[in-house]
Amino acid sequence: MGSEAIGAIGLGLLLVLMILRVPVALTMLIVGVLGFAQIISWDAAVAQLKTVPVEVLSNYSFSAVPMFILMGVLAAHSGMAGKLFDSTRIICGGWKGGLAIAAVGSCGIFSAISGSSLATASTMTRVALPEMERYGYNRGLATGALAAGGTLGIMIPPSIALLIYAILTEQSVGDMFMAGLIPGLLGLVMYSLTITVVMYLRPSLAVAGEPTAWKEKLLSLTGLVPFFGVFLVMILGIYFGAFTPTEGASVGAFATLLYALAKGMRGAQLWHSVQETLALSAVVFFMLVGAETLGYFISVSRISFSITDLLYGMDLTPIVVVLCILALYFVLGMFMDSIAMLVITVPVVYPIIQAMGIDPVWFGILTVLTVELGLMTPPVGMNVFVIKAMAPHVGLGEIFKGVTPFVVSDLLRLTLLILFPVLSTFFLL
C-alpha cells in the first residue's frame, strides 16, 4: 500500500475517532503514531513518542501560551472585567440596545488581553447577562451578542489561535498579531452595527438604557485604562521591536499580576488563578503534542502533495482553492473546537497554500475568522454552549436564534477581507 493511501486512511480514522468522541489530542496522537509506524517503522514511531513531547514543551515560542492564558484568568478574577462592563455601559447609556453594544465592546476589549474566545464569553456572560436581563432585554439578543462578542477573542491580538497558526506555519507571531488588528476591530464595529440594525427592525427586543451625562461618560473611561495600558504596552512593544511576542506575553502577564495585587488578590485567589492557568495550558499543550505527531505522519505520507497535484490538474485559481478550504473550515467548525481544528488541518492545507503562492499571513487571518464562525454555528458552537452553561435558564434554540444576525455579519466581514487583502496586511506594508 502506498504512503498516500495510508495517509488517506489515517485521515478517515481521525474523523471516525472524533465522531466516537475520543479526545481530539489523543486522536491525533493515535493516528500520528500508527500512521508513521506503517510508513516508516515501529522503532521510528516509538522514538518519535520520546522526542515530540520534549520538542513541543521545550519550544520557547510556545511559552507565550500560558502567559496569555494567565493574563485572561487574572483579569477575570481581579475585577477588571466588572469595571470594564460598568465603563462601557455608562458610555453607551441612553442608546437603544446600548447594553448589548456595551457587552460586545467589553468582549472586544477584554479579549485584547485574554487571547481566548471561551474565556471572554464565559467571563463577560457572568458580568453582563444579569444586567441585560434586569433591563428586560430579549434573552436571545442578549446571549447572542455575548456569544458573538466572545469570538473576538480569537482575532484581536494577542490571540492564542493566531499564535498557534504562526508557530505551526513558521510565520512571524508579530506579523500575525499586526494582521489581526484591523479585522478584529472591524468585527467589533460590525457587531455594534448589527445590534443597531436589529434594534431598528425589532425595537421590542430591548429598551433604551438610563441616559448618562458626558461628564459621567468621561469619568467612566478610567475603567478602560488597565486594559488599554496592558494592550498598548504589548502591541507597541512588539511592533517597534522592544521585545519579542513571547517576551511581550510575559510583560503583559506581569502587568496584569501587578494590577491584581493592587486590587487585593492574595493567597487563595492567586493560587486558584495559577491552577486554572495550568489546567487550560495542559489541554492546549496536549493538543499541540498530538498535532506535531500528526504533522510528521502527514509529511511522510505526502498526502498534501497529492492533493496539491490534484488541484493543479483541475487548473483551479488560487482564490478558488482558498474558497474551497474556507468552505471546509466552515463545515468543520460546526462540529469541532477552534484550536483543535487549526492544529489538525493546518499541517494538511498549508503546503497547498505554499504551492499556490498564496500569502500565508492573509490566509491565516481568513482561516482564523472562518474558525471563529464555527464558535457560533450549530450543532457544536462552543461559545454558545459556554453561555448555556453560564445561563442554564436560556434555551439553546434561543441563543442560536439570537446569534444568527452576527453570523451574517461575520460572513460579510469575511467577504470584505477576501476582496480587500490590504485590510489584513496594512500594518505589514
Side-chain angles (χ1 to χ4, degrees), residues 175-322:
D175 284 354
M176 291 305 306
F177 282 178
M178 290 300 112
L181 196 55
I182 292 177
L185 294 176
L186 182 63
L188 181 58
V189 171
M190 291 184 69
Y191 286 168
S192 299
L193 290 175
T194 299
I195 293 170
T196 304
V197 171
V198 169
M199 288 296 92
Y200 178 78
L201 297 175
R202 299 280 303 279
S204 62
L205 294 181
V207 297
E210 297 176 1
T212 53
W214 278 105
K215 181 180 179 181
E216 197 176 356
K217 293 179 191 292
L218 290 173
L219 289 174
S220 71
L221 293 176
T222 56
L224 307 182
V225 171
F227 285 91
F228 281 112
V230 174
F231 176 74
L232 289 175
V233 166
M234 284 193 299
I235 295 302
L236 293 179
I238 293 170
Y239 186 75
F240 289 107
F243 38 70
T244 66
T246 304
E247 292 165 346
S250 302
V251 170
F254 182 68
T256 311
L257 175 62
L258 290 179
Y259 178 88
L261 292 172
K263 290 299 179 180
M265 276 190 75
R266 295 292 185 272
Q269 287 179 305
L270 286 173
W271 178 238
H272 177 69
S273 297
V274 171
Q275 285 180 311
E276 188 173 338
T277 300
L278 289 173
L280 293 171
S281 299
V283 172
V284 174
F285 275 100
F286 191 17
M287 281 202 287
L288 290 173
V289 170
E292 190 80 5
T293 307
L294 181 68
Y296 280 119
F297 163 52
I298 290 170
S299 177
V300 297
S301 73
R302 299 187 61 81
I303 191 169
S304 297
F305 299 101
S306 298
I307 296 172
T308 303
D309 291 341
L310 176 64
L311 292 174
Y312 270 125
M314 296 172 67
D315 201 26
L316 298 177
T317 62
I319 189 62
V320 172
V321 172
V322 169

Side-chain angles (χ1 to χ4, degrees), residues 321-330 363 366-367 370 414 418:
V321 172
V322 169
L323 292 175
C324 290
I325 294 173
L326 294 182
L328 173 65
Y329 274 123
F330 185 75
F363 176 76
L366 297 182
T367 297
T370 309
L414 182 61
I418 292 172

Side-chain angles (χ1 to χ4, degrees), residues 14-28:
L14 189 76
L15 293 174
V16 170
L17 290 175
M18 285 192 294
I19 291 171
L20 295 175
R21 304 188 69 82
V22 177
V24 173
L26 187 58
T27 296
M28 291 188 290

Side-chain angles (χ1 to χ4, degrees), residues 92 113 173 273 349 373 378 389:
C92 299
I113 67 169
V173 176
S273 297
V349 302
L373 269 167

Side-chain angles (χ1 to χ4, degrees), residues 145-179:
L146 288 165
T151 64
L152 295 170
I154 203 172
M155 181 65 73
I156 294 179
S159 160
I160 293 175
L162 290 176
L163 172 69
I164 289 175
Y165 175 87
I167 295 172
L168 289 175
T169 59
E170 299 182 351
Q171 297 300 308
S172 164
V173 176
D175 284 354
M176 291 305 306
F177 282 178
M178 290 300 112

